[in-house]
Amino acid sequence: MSTLPRPFYDRPTLDVARELLGKVLVHRRQSAVTSGVIVEVEAYIGEDDPACHAAPGPTRRNEPLYGPAGISYVYLNYGIHCLVNVVTEAEGSPAAVLIRALQPLDGIPTMRRRRTRTAKGRRPTDGTVSTADLCRGPGNLTTAMGITLAENRQDLTGDRLFIEDRRVRIGKISWGPRIGIRVGTERPWRAWLAGHGAVSRTRP
C-alpha cells in the first residue's frame, strides 16, 4: 500500500479521474478508520465548465480549486450534504474530481452507525442499509466516512484524509454524462466501474 503522491494529481483532470478508479480513499477521524475503493467519479474542469464551481471566477469558497494539486475540496451541497473532491492540475488552473461512490472496505460497522444517525434535511437509515448502499452517492459517502467541512483543504498526501494504491484489480471503465446537475450535462465526464453494485443508479 502506498499513498498517492502529489504528482499523481498534478495532471490533466480526466487522466486523474480515470486512474482514481480502483484506488482507496481513507479517512482517519479520532480512533476510527474508514476506507473504500473508488468506483465512481466526476470531473469538473475550468472556468468555462458551467457546472464547475470555478465558473464565476475565483471566490473565497472555490479558492481550493485553484491549487495546489493534491488537496481536498469539501463543500456543503444544498445546505445538507458535504461532498469531497480532489484538486487536480497545475496551480491556478481550477479543476477537481468529485468522488461519487465507494465500495466499503475498512470500518463498515462505523459507516453503518453514521448512516443511521439523523442529519439535517435527511432521514436516517433504519440500520439495514446494505454494504453496497453505504457509500453510493457523494452525500452518503461523506456521511459514512465522517468527512465534513473540517476536511476542506486537507493535504491528500498526509495521514488524515488520503488515497492509497492497494493494487485493486478493476474491470471495464465506462464514461457518460455527469448527473445531479442542471448545466454542463452534455460533457461525458463521469467515469465508473461498469456493472459495479455501488455505482449510482441513474434513470433512463
Side-chain angles (χ1 to χ4, degrees):
M1 297 184 293
S2 60
T3 301
L4 298 181
R6 197 169 311 283
F8 176 91
Y9 304 100
D10 191 6
R11 298 182 296 143
T13 304
L14 294 179
D15 292 343
V16 177
R18 180 182 64 251
E19 293 180 32
L20 279 173
L21 294 173
K23 303 301 191 293
V24 177
L25 179 68
V26 183
H27 185 218
R28 290 188 175 133
R29 182 175 179 182
Q30 299 175 343
S31 60
V33 178
T34 51
S35 73
V37 179
I38 299 171
V39 298
E40 183 183 7
V41 296
E42 283 179 340
Y44 293 86
I45 308 171
E47 294 177 355
D48 62 348
D49 175 1
C52 182
H53 282 187
T59 66
R60 183 175 180 180
R61 181 197 193 199
N62 68 26
E63 185 180 358
L65 285 174
Y66 288 82
I71 64 171
S72 63
Y73 173 46
V74 181
Y75 63 88
L76 194 61
N77 193 42
Y78 297 120
I80 301 173
H81 309 287
C82 284
L83 306 188
V84 60
N85 303 255
V86 300
V87 175
T88 57
E89 305 206 12
E91 191 163 359
S93 298
V97 177
L98 169 68
I99 302 179
R100 284 199 56 91
L102 303 175
Q103 172 190 315
L105 287 180
D106 302 308
I108 291 176
T110 299
M111 291 183 182
R112 187 165 278 113
R113 184 171 63 253
R114 287 171 176 162
R115 286 288 312 277
T116 59
R117 294 173 182 164
T118 302
K120 177 183 176 183
R122 62 190 299 171
R123 295 179 180 178
T125 67
D126 60 5
T128 61
V129 61
S130 71
T131 300
D133 284 334
L134 281 174
C135 297
R136 186 203 311 277
N140 290 333
L141 181 162
T142 53
T143 299
M145 293 282 286
I147 297 171
T148 69
L149 292 176
E151 278 67 56
N152 190 31
R153 302 171 185 259
Q154 281 294 308
D155 184 350
L156 296 174
T157 67
D159 60 3
R160 176 173 170 181
L161 179 68
F162 53 95
I163 300 175
E164 291 183 334
D165 185 357
R166 297 190 186 179
R167 305 295 181 185
V168 175
R169 298 183 66 179
I170 63 173
K172 179 183 176 183
I173 295 174
S174 295
W175 289 86
R178 297 174 294 187
I179 58 179
I181 55 176
R182 295 189 179 95
V183 294
T185 55
E186 74 285 354
R187 305 186 187 200
W189 289 353
R190 182 171 70 99
W192 66 93
L193 298 185
H196 197 285
V199 170
S200 300
R201 298 188 181 101
T202 58
R203 297 178 181 178

